[in-house]
Amino acid sequence: RRIRNTLRFLLANLDDFRWETDALPVADWLEIDRYALQMTQSVQKQILADYARYEFHLVVQKLQAFCSEDLGGFYLDILKDRLYTTGKTSRPRRAAQTALYHIAQALLRWMAPILSFTADEAWPILARKEQDSVLLHTWYDFPDSGADLTGRWGVIREVRAEVQKELESVRAAGKIGSSLQAEVEVRAEGERLRALESLGDDLRFVLITSQAAVSSGGAPAVAVKPSPHSKCERCWHYRADVGREAAHPGLCGRCTSNLYGAGELRTHA
C-alpha cells in the first residue's frame, strides 16, 4: 500500500507535465531536487546489486524504506508546498515535476520484476504510451546531478528530525495544531550552522513551519512557539502579511505573487 500510494502521488502530480515541453535541465532545478535525484541513484545501485544476487526480499525492503522514509517522510512531504502553491508553469514547480519524472521512471523499473502488474498498470500513465510496457525497458539512466549533496543534506535531515520531535512535543501539549502553526529557532554551530544558514528563507519550507530562524552561541537547541499571525487560506502558512492587500484579504504576500504577480523566488526547497 505504501509503494502504491507513493506511485499515486507521483503520477497525480505529473498529470499536467509533458516531458517534451515542460522538462527543465538539472542546472535549473532547486538544490533539494538534485539531492533527491542523487538519493534515488544511490538506492538504485543498491537495488541492482540485490537483483544481481537474486536477493529479492532485500529489494522489497529497500523499496519500502525509500517510499516511506526518503520520499514520503522527507522529499515529497517538503515538495507539497511547491507543487500546490507556486505558479502552475513556474520554474520551481516544473523543476519539482522534472525530478519526480526521473524518480518515477526509476521506481517503476525497480518494481517491474517483483510488482509486475502494479508497475505495468502505472507505466502507460507515466510514459503516455498505451502500447508500451515497463517490462520492455531496462534500468533507468539518470542525468548528471552535479556536485555530491549527500553529506550536506544528511546534516539538514538530522536537524529536521530533531525539529519534528520538538514540534510533536509542543503539539501534544496542545499549543499548536499543524507544524505550520509554529515558528522555530534552531541554535547550532559549525557544519550544522553553515548548512542551515545557507538555506535562507527556504529553511521554513524544509522544516514545514511558517517561520524558521538560525542562531549561534550556547548549546544546540530547538525552540518552538505558536505563530501570532493569521493563517493564509491558500497555503495555510501563518504570516504577518496575510490580508495586507485589500483585493485579496485571505492571502499572504507570496500567494498573491504566485497567483497574480511574478511568483516567489525559491532556491533550495
Side-chain angles (χ1 to χ4, degrees):
R1 188 166 62 246
R2 165 60 69 181
I3 294 170
R4 190 175 179 87
N5 285 342
T6 301
L7 267 182
R8 291 179 66 184
F9 181 92
L10 294 174
L11 296 177
N13 282 284
L14 290 169
D15 184 62
D16 68 329
F17 176 82
R18 300 296 181 272
W19 173 260
E20 297 78 11
T21 57
D22 300 328
L24 296 182
V26 175
D28 290 343
W29 296 7
L30 276 66
E31 187 179 289
I32 195 173
D33 301 325
R34 294 195 294 274
Y35 167 65
L37 191 69
Q38 292 175 6
M39 186 167 56
T40 309
Q41 287 176 288
S42 176
V43 173
Q44 175 161 292
K45 289 179 182 177
Q46 299 171 46
I47 283 178
L48 297 197
D50 292 336
Y51 271 130
R53 296 190 301 267
Y54 297 95
E55 293 181 322
F56 302 115
H57 66 291
L58 296 180
V59 176
V60 174
Q61 290 173 10
K62 290 181 174 66
L63 268 173
Q64 169 74 12
F66 180 68
C67 290
S68 178
E69 299 169 18
D70 293 327
L71 292 183
F74 175 68
Y75 182 55
L76 302 184
D77 198 28
I78 294 169
L79 209 59
K80 289 175 185 175
D81 181 86
R82 188 156 34 118
L83 289 168
Y84 301 159
T85 68
T86 58
K88 184 177 180 179
T89 61
S90 64
R91 171 182 166 261
R93 186 167 185 270
R94 289 304 193 204
Q97 288 179 307
T98 308
L100 291 184
Y101 181 86
H102 288 294
I103 293 170
Q105 282 274 352
L107 187 63
L108 285 177
R109 296 165 197 240
W110 303 346
M111 291 169 52
I114 53 175
L115 292 168
S116 305
F117 289 100
T118 301
D120 215 31
E121 175 189 355
W123 182 259
I125 302 171
L126 178 67
R128 302 188 187 279
K129 295 179 182 178
E130 292 296 332
Q131 303 303 318
D132 194 15
S133 169
V134 67
L135 302 175
L136 300 176
H137 294 267
T138 56
W139 307 120
Y140 193 59
D141 186 16
F142 293 94
D144 182 10
S145 55
D148 184 17
L149 298 168
T150 306
R152 165 179 160 76
W153 277 92
V155 171
I156 294 170
R157 289 181 70 171
E158 287 177 2
V159 175
R160 184 174 184 268
E162 294 170 9
V163 171
Q164 287 180 315
K165 185 177 180 181
E166 186 62 27
L167 286 169
E168 188 56 39
S169 297
V170 176
R171 183 186 293 109
K175 296 180 181 179
I176 61 171
S178 74
S179 63
L180 287 175
Q181 198 174 347
E183 296 183 355
V184 172
E185 181 178 354
V186 181
R187 191 159 62 239
E189 296 291 344
E191 185 180 16
R192 281 189 164 200
L193 178 64
R194 292 189 294 272
L196 297 177
E197 284 183 332
S198 70
L199 296 176
D201 191 47
D202 282 8
L203 175 60
R204 66 187 174 104
F205 298 119
V206 173
L207 301 180
I208 315 183
T209 57
S210 286
Q211 186 171 311
V214 188
S215 62
S216 60
V222 176
V224 175
K225 65 178 182 180
S227 173
H229 304 301
S230 300
K231 178 182 178 180
C232 173
E233 62 186 23
R234 180 171 180 268
C235 71
W236 295 5
H237 284 242
Y238 291 71
R239 306 293 294 171
D241 58 359
V242 171
R244 188 161 292 176
E245 294 196 24
H248 312 291
L251 301 183
C252 65
R254 76 184 185 103
C255 279
T256 302
S257 177
N258 285 332
L259 287 171
Y260 308 107
E264 65 181 315
L265 177 66
R266 302 278 280 263
T267 56
H268 293 83

